Amino acid sequence: MPLLDPTLWQDGPTLTGGAAPVVEPATGRTLATLDLAAPADVAEAAVRARAAQQDWARTTHPERAAVLRRAGDLFAAHADELREWLVRESGSIPGKAGFELHVAAQECYEAAALASRPVGQVLPSEAPRLSFTRRVPAGVVGVVAPFNAPLILAIRSVAPALALGNAVLLKPDRRTAVCGGLALAAVFAAAGLPAGLLHVLPGGAETGAAVVADPRVRVVSFTGSTTAGRAVGELAGRHLKRAHLELGGNSALVVLRDADVEAAVAQATWGSFFHQGQICMTAGRHLVHASLYDEYVERLAARAEELAVGDPYREQVHLGPLIDRAQVERVHALVEASTEAGAKLVAGGTHRDLFYRPTVLAGVGEDTPAYTEEVFGPVAPVRSFATEDEAVALASAGPYGLSLGIVTRDAARGLDLAERIPTGIAHVNDQTVNDEAVAPFGGVGASGTGARFGGEANLDAFTELRWTTARSTPAAHPF
């Protein structure tokens, strides 16, 4: 039997938000039909989650860890089925889908290890008492995940939240609700997660708002655009709950004067065109030393022209489709506005249906729309600099601060330069798109509220730190 048996797609009552098709972007075909969640469904799920969570928090850490390890094994055991869903539903090429499955398994294994981490400290006290801190589960965690890396960006919060004794309400993007939501429900059900702990609630903005606002949800983990993240943060703040926000980016790839141009272009090609540029860490600004600029642009354009674009399920391609028509129109509008503002279109700039050619823009400036904004498409704007101080100023400009790549023959020089640029993530002699389950992940500025995902950061994200004291006899007080 396939893992994604429809009977395992929803834990609990039928959702009441209406039916929606699951569409394959490459062809427009309907792959399945799913139920959407209305705000009333969110409230019901939150009640069930809170009731189930109290028993789950009392289970032993080996029991919770065992469920997470089995879930990790299931991602590998059912890789073929899940990979097909990722390719067809999200437009991923098979290699990218395979990477998502690898990371999903690793997130589960890392989360399993969290369950047995030390939970607190014994503190000194002025009074004759035992004084200690203890990490306790937050309770019910709301996870709102996007379409672009739907499995990774859901599991990285779902797995540690469950491992640490919480229940989860997961709202995936409705465009990738199977591979980013229902697949997780199926995996965890097969792994033996008790009923009521994971609720998948596909829907639109109103569903996400209901998850954030529900009084039983104490922590919110949101990944998405900066605009949407501001709204989530504001709503969470009104309800006095923590919101961990991983938002947009316009990351710089800095190519220093001593760099090998061919090696730099190899980094740039992957950094800008991987998954059609629909990655928050995409290299959105190429800053190249003036002495290398012309050669860099020429070689990057040649690489872009060589890349195959098409249906990743039926063809061997480098780039698949953008997620939908609205995204194609947004990307193309930014490219056109950039050329109208004086940028030179060196490669790409065209599309067929949802398939957008990898695009290189030269001669960009501080007012070029595709340079100043997050494009979320396969567009590489290239700008030159003369000195390292200028490179630092250019890389530091703008509101975002998610990822940074620096290419140089001198790694120590690259590390020194990275220290001068505000960013949540920095890579020397690598491009900007990297992710590992053991590493903290997050950005600064308009890119979010810091490294709140991954590794040790998950302990702070999904638990509360409680101070407790105990005396052998009741304390005496002045009155």
Side-chain angles (χ1 to χ4, degrees):
M1 178 185 293
L3 179 69
L4 285 172
D5 185 316
T7 62
L8 298 177
W9 278 16
Q10 182 61 37
D11 173 20
T14 301
L15 301 177
T16 62
V22 178
V23 176
E24 182 179 36
T27 64
R29 297 177 184 176
T30 296
L31 302 175
T33 301
L34 57 85
D35 293 328
L36 299 179
D41 300 317
V42 173
E44 182 176 349
V47 170
R48 296 181 65 234
R50 180 59 182 147
Q53 185 270 329
Q54 295 177 40
D55 289 334
W56 178 242
R58 287 191 290 268
T59 61
T60 65
H61 68 268
E63 290 177 272
R64 297 199 305 273
V67 171
L68 271 297
R69 286 194 297 270
R70 288 194 295 268
D73 292 344
L74 285 164
F75 279 115
H78 294 272
D80 290 343
E81 179 187 359
L82 295 171
R83 184 185 300 108
E84 180 174 327
W85 273 104
L86 280 161
V87 169
R88 300 191 69 183
E89 187 184 24
S90 73
S92 300
I93 61 173
K96 185 259 190 182
F99 176 71
E100 285 211 51
L101 288 164
H102 168 75
V103 172
Q106 293 304 311
E107 290 285 358
C108 289
Y109 299 142
E110 287 297 320
L114 283 179
S116 58
R117 296 287 176 89
V119 296
Q121 294 179 314
V122 176
L123 305 176
S125 178
E126 296 179 358
R129 61 190 178 187
L130 173 65
S131 177
F132 61 94
T133 61
R134 179 170 177 264
R135 291 189 180 276
V136 298
V140 180
V141 173
V143 178
V144 182
F147 71 84
N148 56 318
L151 182 55
I152 290 177
L153 299 180
I155 194 69
R156 71 174 181 186
S157 294
V158 170
L162 290 173
L164 292 168
N166 301 285
V168 176
L169 305 187
L170 169 60
K171 193 212 82 73
D173 190 297
R174 59 185 293 174
R175 294 168 291 186
T176 50
V178 177
C179 57
L182 302 175
L184 279 76
V187 163
F188 279 104
L193 184 72
L197 288 171
L198 174 59
H199 298 263
V200 179
L201 302 163
E206 69 287 348
T207 305
V211 170
V212 175
D214 191 280
R216 289 157 288 259
V217 173
R218 296 313 309 155
V219 172
V220 175
S221 170
F222 173 85
T223 304
S225 71
T226 298
T227 299
R230 292 185 194 280
V232 168
E234 180 181 350
L235 182 58
R238 287 207 302 270
H239 292 273
L240 300 180
K241 58 183 69 176
R242 283 184 288 149
H244 305 302
L245 308 175
E246 198 273 284
L247 310 179
N250 190 10
S251 299
L253 179 66
V254 182
V255 181
L256 296 182
R257 182 174 190 165
D258 65 347
D260 179 290
V261 176
E262 184 59 27
V265 168
Q267 303 304 316
T269 303
W270 185 261
S272 278
F273 303 140
F274 175 63
H275 195 46
Q276 302 79 262
Q278 296 175 126
I279 301 287
C280 59
M281 297 171 283
T282 290
R285 294 177 294 156
H286 297 239
L287 306 176
V288 182
H289 191 271
S291 64
L292 308 178
Y293 179 81
D294 290 339
E295 183 183 359
Y296 182 94
V297 170
E298 181 181 353
R299 291 194 181 205
L300 182 58
R303 285 284 190 96
E305 296 289 0
E306 293 170 355
L307 298 179
V309 182
D311 181 346
Y313 182 62
R314 298 166 182 85
E315 307 170 55
Q316 187 171 352
V317 297
H318 300 97
L319 282 75
L322 295 182
I323 191 64
D324 58 22
R325 177 62 58 184
Q327 187 62 17
V328 171
E329 292 174 354
R330 182 181 183 278
V331 170
H332 196 57
L334 284 169
V335 171
E336 288 190 322
S338 297
T339 57
E340 290 171 3
K344 181 182 178 182
L345 182 65
V346 186
T350 62
H351 64 92
R352 174 181 56 83
D353 297 326
L354 303 187
F355 303 101
Y356 207 94
R357 289 293 312 171
T359 298
V360 178
L361 295 170
V364 302
E366 60 185 15
D367 296 324
T368 304
Y371 174 82
T372 59
E373 298 184 35
E374 181 183 32
V375 177
F376 229 63
V379 179
V382 189
R383 184 174 182 178
S384 67
F385 65 86
T387 66
E388 288 189 9
D389 286 343
E390 184 184 3
V392 168
L394 291 173
S396 303
Y400 298 104
L402 182 53
S403 190
L404 169 70
I406 298 173
V407 184
T408 175
R409 296 180 192 271
D410 184 345
R413 185 182 186 185
L415 288 170
D416 180 67
L417 196 73
E419 289 295 315
R420 301 168 60 190
I421 299 169
T423 184
I425 303 164
H427 304 290
V428 175
N429 285 324
D430 203 349
Q431 44 74 46
T432 54
V433 181
N434 281 277
D435 194 10
E436 291 187 22
V438 298
F441 187 98
V444 297
S447 291
T449 52
R452 307 296 179 88
F453 304 102
E456 296 287 339
N458 287 319
L459 291 171
D460 291 329
F462 302 116
T463 64
E464 303 288 357
L465 196 59
R466 177 182 295 169
W467 179 39
T468 302
T469 68
R471 293 172 177 261
S472 58
T473 59
H477 298 286
F479 59 88

